[in-house]
Amino acid sequence: MKKLLFATLATASLLIASCTGNGNKADNDGNELTEADSLLFYLGEGQSQSIHMFVLGQLHVTQDTYDEFLKGLDEAMQKEIEPDTNYIGDDVQRAYNAGLVVAWELRHNLDLDEIAAIYNYGEETPAEPFTMQKVYAGLRHGLEQRNNLSEDQWSQLCENAMRRFTEIIRVKGEAYDKAQAEARLQSNADYLAQLEQEADIQKLPTGEYYKVLTEGKGAVPAADETVKVHYEGRLLDGTVFDSSYERNQPIEIDMARPGVIQGWVDVLKVMPKGSKWEVTLPSELAYGEYGAGNAIPAHSVLVFTMELLK
């Protein structure tokens, strides 16, 4: 199924935005929404123009069939209906199916649990449940503006909504990220302390831990040599984030200009050719406080199976 623009809203990327503006949203009766409900309303409203352009350009909805799109969207937000992703038929039914597609993507690609966890962090009384209906109220309101505002005005409305969304959650997110980092650092320290007690684990002076799986008989790499390494990288929970074994293609590393994380550089300098080690890297010798994309969180201890080929 095609991913909509809002499906790429990784929560971490939303939290780093610098925003201005304030104020909670009012409902259709003029009653001020709570901050939490405003958060979700703004999230939906902020995506409305992007979704509108997506269904016109990619799902082949037209202005003449737009009401059918809204009908499908409304019905599928009230009751989950799986769309036909390969539907080919008349324009009216296709527009209705497009509404089902958007609703399906909203339900399955927007992680409200994560947003709620960030928003509620440190609160003695959590906010009311974060529901998709509250996001949809904002989306539906935003979509209704297509006939009331110019394209530029609508774009500004969506931009302001997303600014308010990020503003509401920013402070909460910073506190949440700090607490998550502190917890991970403590967990790392506990794990590494336990690792040091294991009889078959050795530690390099530079801080890396390793266990010999196969003892190599060759020389250690020269400073100007290019070596080949097979590897598998895992998080502490066992999640594999990269593997040359899966690609059946070892990586080549120029020891003069390694271009890899510091832990790898230190290990390869002392690893005899033909060796296969299980290497554990403290986070500061891997990707540190920044992590690496979505695959490796900040402050992650990494475990590698490394095989220095002959």
Side-chain angles (χ1 to χ4, degrees), residues 2-10 47 49-51 53-54:
K2 296 177 180 178
K3 302 295 184 183
L4 299 182
L5 294 176
F6 57 78
T8 65
L9 288 176
Q47 299 304 307
Q49 189 177 44
S50 295
I51 290 173
M53 299 303 295
F54 178 83

Side-chain angles (χ1 to χ4, degrees), residues 83-95 97:
D84 180 356
T85 57
N86 297 312
Y87 180 80
I88 300 175
D90 66 78
D91 291 346
V92 172
Q93 187 60 35
R94 184 166 56 189
N97 190 70

Side-chain angles (χ1 to χ4, degrees), residues 3-226:
K3 302 295 184 183
L4 299 182
L5 294 176
F6 57 78
T8 65
L9 288 176
T11 303
S13 67
L14 294 174
L15 300 179
I16 63 175
S18 175
C19 307
T20 59
N22 52 55
N24 294 348
K25 193 72 181 179
D27 63 18
N28 291 333
D29 297 324
N31 301 313
E32 186 174 324
L33 298 177
T34 65
E35 183 181 66
D37 287 353
S38 294
L39 175 77
L40 300 179
F41 189 98
Y42 287 133
L43 177 58
E45 186 178 59
Q47 299 304 307
S48 60
Q49 189 177 44
S50 295
I51 290 173
H52 169 79
M53 299 303 295
F54 178 83
V55 299
L56 292 184
Q58 301 296 319
L59 300 184
H60 310 295
V61 175
T62 67
Q63 296 296 343
D64 291 338
T65 61
Y66 206 87
D67 285 344
E68 283 299 313
F69 158 67
L70 293 177
K71 178 182 176 182
L73 184 58
D74 288 341
E75 291 182 4
M77 288 306 303
Q78 293 300 320
K79 177 182 179 181
E80 185 167 355
I81 306 172
E82 185 171 357
D84 180 356
T85 57
N86 297 312
Y87 180 80
I88 300 175
D90 66 78
D91 291 346
V92 172
Q93 187 60 35
R94 184 166 56 189
Y96 176 85
N97 190 70
L100 306 187
V101 169
V102 171
W104 181 271
E105 294 286 346
L106 267 174
R107 289 181 182 276
H108 291 272
N109 290 296
L110 197 57
D111 192 347
L112 294 186
D113 289 340
E114 185 175 5
I115 296 173
I118 294 170
Y119 182 86
N120 288 321
Y121 178 76
E123 297 290 340
E124 293 184 4
T125 304
E128 294 181 3
F130 280 38
T131 66
M132 196 60 66
Q133 290 301 321
K134 295 175 182 178
V135 178
Y136 183 55
L139 172 59
R140 196 64 166 83
H141 178 266
L143 290 173
E144 290 169 358
Q145 304 315 306
R146 72 189 190 282
N147 295 324
N148 302 327
L149 303 175
S150 68
E151 185 173 335
D152 288 344
Q153 289 172 328
W154 192 11
S155 179
Q156 189 63 51
L157 174 77
C158 295
E159 182 179 337
N160 289 341
M162 290 310 299
R163 284 175 176 167
R164 287 167 178 161
F165 171 81
T166 53
E167 180 188 13
I168 290 172
I169 205 170
R170 183 184 60 210
V171 174
K172 300 273 189 178
E174 288 173 353
Y176 177 85
D177 286 347
K178 181 180 178 181
Q180 292 294 305
E182 290 174 351
R184 185 171 288 117
L185 287 171
Q186 183 59 55
S187 177
N188 290 351
D190 294 343
Y191 178 84
L192 295 175
Q194 182 178 356
L195 196 65
E196 288 197 21
Q197 304 305 312
E198 297 184 17
D200 56 352
I201 297 296
Q202 302 180 63
K203 184 179 180 181
L204 296 177
T206 46
E208 298 83 359
Y209 299 82
Y210 69 99
K211 177 169 66 175
V212 177
L213 304 177
T214 301
E215 188 171 350
K217 303 301 183 181
V220 299
D224 59 351
E225 189 174 356
T226 296

